[in-house]
Amino acid sequence: MVQRQVPNPVELLELMKFKKPDLNGKRRRLQGALTIDDLRTIAKRRTPKAAFDYTDGAAEGELSLTRARQAFQDVEFHPGILKPAPEVDTTVDILGGPSALPFGIAPTGFTRLMQTEGEVAGAGAAAAAGIPFTLSTLGTTSIEGVKAANPHGRNWFQLYVMRDREISYELTRRAAAAGFDTLQFTVDTPVAGARLRDKRNGFSIPPQLTLGTIVNAIPRPWWWYDFLTTPKLEFASLSTTGGTVGELLDAAMDPTISYDDLAVIRDIWPGKILIKGVQNVEDSVRLRDAGVDGVVLSNHGGRQLDRAPIPFHLLPEVRKAVGDDFTVMIDTGIMNGADIVAAVALGADFTLIGRAYLYGLMAGGRSGVDRTIEILKTEIERTMRLLGVSSLAELEPGHVTQLTRLVPVARAAAEARV
């Protein structure tokens, strides 16, 4: 029989712990976000549909993006027991310099569209966190503006090869003169992918005021206030602005890009050079032999070729083929610090976050980007402790199994015969 008693008022008072209300709405929202997906939910609520879909969407049926995210979810970790890791070291040396965390901010185009602070917020947050920031050719803040926002940190520049080659050459020279230390030479965008959400939304750059956009803006007046009361939204490094994203890319990019272009850029660029958009083992080996400093395994966030290879699945094969002394990075689909830990365990030297950073930006400007980095840092440290490792160098393939849903037919048939 359970013995019951009249509640003791003193004991009841001890249980009543009320938090002081936070009257700062932005801070309250961001602190309530415990995952990147929480930030995405806030971002969707606070950003007009066309701008949010431009960020959130991918090409055609969005299969590449869905599969990339699923690949990270289909991970089984193998922790070691009785291996205390009360303190973990998340620092890494990458391309001749330090990073406090095993990820940096990826290049994203037209970033001030998502939230008016744009690249300045990203570069400032990266500086505070001690991680690299990458400016896109299609960025909305100038090379010099990013340098001013991150004067002492590591700035990287992402380069497209334009039809007018001199534009690309001049941007390369400007980035070098501004002290950017790494160039991401992007090779997966000879033409624009079919980004159907943008077409269905009638999305253009700059955004146009239509009946639909006005109706969608009514519950989001803060976004339009920022848009209308800050400097004109345009590409900082290009003179042509106007039209859909696909039209702008098709007008600017050149499908004849080749190794000859890489050779010219290497002659101009004095720092480290990465090739971004590599999607098979053979190209990784060929680029290593060509003497570049590293590759970024990426399908452009699923925004170019739909049904493209999954970078995370490709990672172990590339690492085995190129050896341990060649830099291999990975992006696409990263939404959790555990994704980053799994990538490092399977051979990635570094990772890049794109949408995860933009969700934070849309959710709360610079503070939202800070929150993105804080969430990922916490998840990385917790995952490492639970695995029983104290440093990134201790992570190894034995810590991770990639569970397979998408197995090539030929491989599945061969395994069945064994």
Side-chain angles (χ1 to χ4, degrees):
M1 178 71 70
V2 176
Q3 183 178 357
R4 299 187 183 277
Q5 64 182 27
V6 176
N8 185 327
V10 174
E11 294 177 351
L12 186 60
L13 285 172
E14 291 176 352
L15 297 175
M16 298 175 67
K17 304 293 183 182
F18 296 106
K19 293 175 61 177
K20 183 180 179 180
D22 190 341
L23 301 181
N24 185 310
K26 180 195 289 188
R27 186 168 58 227
R28 188 172 61 248
R29 286 194 306 274
L30 294 177
Q31 287 305 310
L34 303 182
T35 66
I36 301 302
D37 197 57
D38 288 344
L39 290 175
R40 179 185 179 276
T41 298
I42 298 171
K44 186 174 184 179
R45 187 168 65 242
R46 296 186 61 82
T47 309
K49 178 177 171 57
F52 178 82
D53 278 355
Y54 169 72
T55 305
D56 192 61
E60 300 189 43
E62 305 192 356
L63 297 174
S64 289
L65 176 59
T66 300
R67 290 173 179 177
R69 287 183 172 165
Q70 188 66 61
F72 282 116
Q73 293 171 17
D74 290 346
V75 160
E76 182 177 85
F77 281 120
H78 305 292
I81 61 170
L82 302 179
K83 294 181 177 179
E87 301 294 333
V88 294
D89 181 5
T90 61
T91 62
V92 60
D93 288 325
I94 187 69
L95 296 174
S99 177
L101 295 161
F103 67 89
I105 293 181
T108 59
F110 221 63
T111 310
R112 283 187 57 232
L113 168 73
M114 297 78 173
Q115 201 272 352
T116 191
E117 296 176 61
E119 291 90 355
V120 169
I131 64 175
F133 175 84
T134 312
L135 174 65
S136 170
T137 295
L138 302 181
T140 45
T141 300
S142 69
I143 290 168
E144 295 76 16
V146 165
K147 179 64 176 180
N150 185 15
H152 307 297
R154 299 189 67 187
N155 292 308
W156 297 355
F157 186 69
Q158 175 269 334
L159 181 72
Y160 287 119
V161 173
M162 318 296 281
R163 290 181 185 272
D164 182 347
R165 295 295 198 268
E166 190 54 42
I167 294 175
S168 299
Y169 301 159
E170 179 58 25
L171 290 174
T172 303
R173 297 186 187 101
R174 280 177 58 190
F180 284 49
D181 65 78
T182 296
L183 188 75
Q184 293 186 29
F185 185 89
T186 300
V187 296
D188 58 3
T189 316
V191 296
R195 301 173 191 178
L196 301 185
R197 287 204 218 182
D198 294 346
K199 292 184 178 181
R200 291 178 179 128
N201 288 329
F203 175 66
S204 64
I205 295 177
Q208 303 298 306
L209 287 172
T210 65
L211 178 61
T213 57
I214 291 172
V215 170
N216 188 249
I218 290 173
R220 302 170 178 85
W222 49 81
W223 190 94
W224 284 101
Y225 174 78
D226 282 342
F227 174 66
L228 296 171
T229 60
T230 53
K232 182 180 178 182
L233 194 57
E234 59 186 355
F235 296 119
S237 299
L238 302 177
S239 59
T240 301
T241 301
T244 68
V245 178
E247 289 168 349
L248 289 167
L249 285 175
D250 283 339
M253 305 311 171
D254 192 338
T256 68
I257 180 175
S258 69
Y259 272 84
D260 291 338
D261 293 298
L262 174 58
V264 174
I265 295 298
R266 288 188 67 192
D267 284 341
I268 298 173
W269 181 252
K272 302 290 186 179
I273 186 165
L274 294 168
I275 310 304
K276 184 177 185 293
V278 179
Q279 298 179 57
N280 63 55
V281 174
E282 295 75 19
D283 283 337
S284 301
V285 173
R286 190 175 299 115
L287 288 164
R288 179 204 62 186
D289 294 344
V292 302
D293 295 293
V295 296
V296 182
L297 305 181
S298 169
N299 62 31
H300 212 101
R303 295 166 72 82
Q304 283 300 109
L305 176 66
D306 207 11
R307 298 176 175 85
I310 300 168
F312 184 56
H313 281 175
L314 186 61
L315 174 61
E317 298 178 59
V318 169
R319 173 52 71 198
K320 181 178 179 181
V322 300
D324 295 333
D325 297 329
F326 185 65
T327 297
V328 177
M329 300 187 189
I330 184 175
D331 73 9
T332 306
I334 294 172
M335 289 283 284
N336 191 291
D339 301 341
I340 295 170
V341 171
V344 173
L346 290 181
D349 295 295
F350 204 65
T351 63
L352 298 170
I353 60 164
R355 286 183 181 86
Y357 140 61
L358 296 177
Y359 293 145
L361 179 66
M362 289 186 286
R366 162 65 192 274
S367 298
V369 183
D370 289 334
R371 184 60 179 153
T372 290
I373 295 171
E374 181 183 9
I375 288 170
L376 292 174
K377 179 177 185 289
T378 298
E379 292 169 341
I380 288 169
E381 292 176 343
R382 181 172 58 245
T383 303
M384 290 174 66
R385 287 192 177 99
L386 290 171
L387 286 173
V389 299
S390 298
S391 69
L392 297 171
E394 294 178 40
L395 290 168
E396 59 183 18
H399 284 115
V400 175
T401 294
Q402 289 179 310
L403 305 177
T404 56
R405 297 188 187 206
L406 298 173
V407 179
V409 172
R411 186 191 306 171
E415 291 173 351
R417 290 194 295 269
V418 174

